[in-house]
Amino acid sequence: MIARLLALAVLTASLSAQNTVHYTATNANVKYLFATVEPVARVKSGDILDTNTLDCFGGALKKPGDTLSMVKGDNPLTGPFYVEGAEPGDTLAVKILDLQVDGDTGVGSFSPGFGGLNGTHYTPVLEPPLPERVWFYHIDHAANTATFKAIDSDFSVKIPMHPFFGCIGVAPAEGEARSSIVPAEFGGNMDSPEASVGNTVYFPVNVKGGLFYIGDGHAAMGDGEIAGSAVEVPLKARVQLSVIKGRTIAWPQFENDDAIMTVGAYRPLDDSVRIAFTELVHWIHKDYGLSDLDAYELLSKVAKIHLNEMVDPNYVVVASIEKKYLPARKK
């Protein structure tokens, strides 16, 4: 116990020594695109960002009877934040230090034309669309649960909370502007539970300053986000932003003490899996020294894949390997 308290004291002292940038997001200053625009604040490499995010509905849905027509736009984004020294070809490391659900109510919804088990714009069918529905979840902070309550019966069940960013990313390359609905090489709407406390996420820097965005807080989400929403919540967040000079990556990556993880975001789903695993082979070869074929063989035996979502314009898969299966990392 004494050792743990000392370690916590060292961590707290280390974080307090860092500069902290505070920012408040409101409906008046959020964005709906990942794009190259004027930053809302500037941070130095190593700084801690203390800010908030709105839920994916911008707080428009508050009570039974509210409808999706009241929502101004999907997935309002906090940012962008300019990181001093970040240049194309670098990597932006985002260490997620703390996430807290900012309120007592979460929202889930089904929107006609958006979901994994019904007709969509990409998979049209002749049957009539399913009806719009909105569910409200009571957040119990003390118990760390969100309560699902059925609309068509009196059933309810408590769901453990695991707060994470649904949207997290940087400005795309080549001056592109991408909707906050889209996941791709720049990150974006990845709906990855891996974007949570204790993990570091890496992004390719595509433009000067990186231009970092976050939003679309989730309190809990099932694999696939199959009906199109998680338990959608606003968040209070603390993240540390650091520039890694000379490290170039093509897709987002996650890392913690136990594993390395790579993202694939595309359609069809099998191409998402191929992207994620190809990136993981490259990472193992570059940082751990195994040949591509040895890494390929090893992954075939011990890798894991996580289907994050299959409802957005691109599907998202995360491939991972535990570090205990890898050689020592190259210096």
Side-chain angles (χ1 to χ4, degrees):
M1 176 61 73
I2 293 175
R4 289 180 62 187
L5 290 173
L6 286 172
L8 180 60
V10 170
L11 175 62
T12 301
S14 174
L15 293 180
S16 63
Q18 302 294 330
N19 182 53
T20 299
V21 175
H22 299 273
Y23 180 78
T24 301
T26 69
N27 271 305
N29 60 25
V30 292
K31 312 296 190 301
Y32 293 90
L33 298 171
F34 288 87
T36 302
V37 298
E38 188 68 22
V40 297
R42 290 175 174 254
V43 301
K44 295 178 180 178
S45 181
D47 282 355
I48 292 169
L49 174 63
D50 188 331
T51 188
N52 67 299
T53 65
L54 310 184
D55 74 16
C56 74
F57 308 107
L61 303 181
K62 301 180 183 302
K63 63 186 185 306
D66 288 351
T67 66
L68 293 171
S69 64
M70 301 167 65
V71 177
K72 174 184 175 181
D74 295 312
N75 295 346
L77 302 170
T78 300
F81 299 93
Y82 186 103
V83 185
E84 301 285 354
E87 298 175 321
D90 295 336
T91 289
L92 179 65
V94 182
K95 186 173 185 179
I96 302 174
L97 303 174
D98 188 49
L99 292 177
Q100 300 293 329
V101 175
D102 190 14
D104 297 325
T105 303
V107 185
S109 73
F110 173 74
S111 174
F114 193 74
L117 303 181
N118 49 278
T120 71
H121 174 72
Y122 295 97
T123 55
V125 295
L126 294 178
E127 288 82 5
L130 296 172
E132 175 183 312
R133 285 286 181 94
V134 177
W135 290 261
F136 291 91
Y137 291 75
H138 173 67
I139 303 296
D140 185 331
H141 294 276
N144 196 45
T145 60
T147 299
F148 166 78
K149 185 170 178 55
I151 292 177
D152 296 326
S153 70
D154 61 359
F155 174 75
S156 66
V157 65
K158 295 183 183 298
I159 301 170
M161 291 199 296
H162 173 76
F164 66 95
F165 295 115
C167 286
I168 181 169
V170 295
E174 308 299 334
E176 284 192 359
R178 303 296 297 273
S179 165
S180 57
I181 294 294
V182 176
E185 296 93 329
F186 59 89
N189 188 30
M190 298 188 295
D191 292 320
S192 295
E194 292 82 4
S196 56
V197 171
N199 287 350
T200 297
V201 54
Y202 302 104
F203 295 103
V205 174
N206 302 307
V207 302
K208 195 170 183 180
L211 297 182
F212 173 69
Y213 296 83
I214 46 176
D216 184 28
H218 294 173
M221 189 187 83
D223 290 356
E225 199 186 25
I226 200 69
S229 73
V231 179
E232 308 287 346
V233 292
L235 292 176
K236 291 181 180 177
R238 281 171 59 84
V239 300
Q240 186 175 30
L241 305 176
S242 301
V243 178
I244 304 177
K245 301 298 293 183
R247 182 188 182 200
T248 301
I249 59 176
W251 289 82
Q253 303 171 342
F254 293 98
E255 183 175 13
N256 57 33
D257 290 342
D258 299 320
I260 59 173
M261 299 157 268
T262 47
V263 174
Y266 210 63
R267 288 197 186 207
L269 188 59
D270 52 346
D271 278 349
S272 297
V273 175
R274 290 189 181 103
I275 291 167
F277 273 116
T278 299
E279 290 300 304
L280 195 52
V281 167
H282 291 336
W283 191 353
I284 293 170
H285 173 65
K286 182 177 181 180
D287 283 8
Y288 294 88
L290 291 183
S291 70
D292 285 353
L293 283 180
D294 279 340
Y296 190 13
E297 169 66 10
L298 180 60
L299 289 173
S300 189
K301 305 305 179 282
V302 299
K304 297 177 182 178
I305 56 172
H306 181 200
L307 174 58
N308 287 342
E309 62 82 14
M310 54 171 292
V311 295
D312 292 330
N314 290 326
Y315 299 156
V316 177
V317 166
V318 169
S320 67
I321 183 172
E322 293 178 83
K323 291 178 179 177
K324 66 183 181 182
Y325 296 117
L326 295 172
R329 197 168 196 158
K330 295 192 296 185
K331 300 298 184 183

